Amino acid sequence: MYDTIEKPQEISLLERHGGQAATQGVGPDKGAASTARPPHAGPGAVAVDAAGGAAAQPGVRRVLVVDDNADAAQTVAMLLEVLGHEASIEYDPLQALACARERSFDAFVLDIGLPGMDGHELARQIRALPRAAGALFIALTGYGQQQDRDASKAAGFHYHFVKPADVDALAQALAKGTPA
């Protein structure tokens, strides 16, 4: 008989947003098995666009997450996907810029403390791309002083969140889009 183990925070977050999750121990000293079902409409619900990529459903945003900390980037991308968004990850600002030149995104979630090119400069360069016209820019950073918020605003960010970001606030920012 397997024991049910306590739910990690990510699972309760998933359930809070309409998904389903189950975690069970698989036996003594054998770890646990988790099953997660995001709050999507189900298999086959994502349409495919003419270029062969997944087209966003109404209200779904294509989001590029850029953070040199792989764990942080993957966690944010996972949370975005739980919220029903399509998330891509880049760990290097130059790779992120190349990705933004090749693909269209509705939103960018950028760390500020990136190596080689900080998030402010990355935001400025991405904002200059025709593909990024009208995109939402969110700073997600460890920098939270007023001068940091002012610098983000000057670089063209619409929102500035300090890590770890409040998931509901991040979800609301994505739902609202660019402020008028």
Side-chain angles (χ1 to χ4, degrees):
M1 182 162 169
Y2 302 128
D3 296 326
T4 300
I5 60 175
E6 189 174 322
K7 293 179 185 178
Q9 183 177 6
E10 292 84 5
I11 291 177
S12 62
L13 174 69
L14 179 72
E15 290 174 340
R16 191 171 92 194
H17 288 280
Q20 297 177 339
T23 301
Q24 292 185 325
V26 293
D29 300 320
K30 296 191 181 191
S34 296
T35 304
R37 183 175 306 141
H40 297 291
V46 177
V48 175
D49 67 16
Q57 295 296 312
V60 174
R61 292 186 175 273
R62 291 176 307 259
V63 183
L64 179 60
V65 177
V66 183
D67 196 321
D68 59 320
N69 179 314
D71 289 338
Q74 292 166 3
T75 300
V76 171
M78 178 191 71
L79 291 173
L80 292 172
E81 289 173 353
V82 165
L83 295 171
H85 303 286
E86 298 170 15
S88 298
I89 301 171
E90 289 293 342
Y91 306 105
D92 176 82
L94 296 176
Q95 292 290 352
L97 187 56
C99 183
R101 284 186 180 118
E102 295 172 8
R103 298 178 48 206
S104 295
F105 293 95
D106 302 308
F108 296 87
V109 178
L110 309 178
D111 184 21
I112 300 302
L114 297 169
M117 176 191 310
D118 71 15
H120 296 131
E121 183 58 28
L122 179 59
R124 285 184 197 96
Q125 290 194 30
I126 291 173
R127 287 179 64 81
L129 300 173
R131 285 185 181 266
L136 177 67
F137 284 80
I138 298 172
L140 181 56
T141 180
Y143 305 132
Q145 300 295 320
Q146 187 59 48
Q147 65 211 33
D148 302 316
R149 294 176 186 281
D150 293 343
S152 290
K153 185 175 182 179
F157 283 96
H158 299 102
Y159 298 95
H160 182 108
F161 294 109
V162 177
K163 294 177 183 176
D166 178 286
V167 175
D168 289 328
L170 183 59
Q172 288 176 4
L174 286 163
K176 287 180 187 175
T178 56

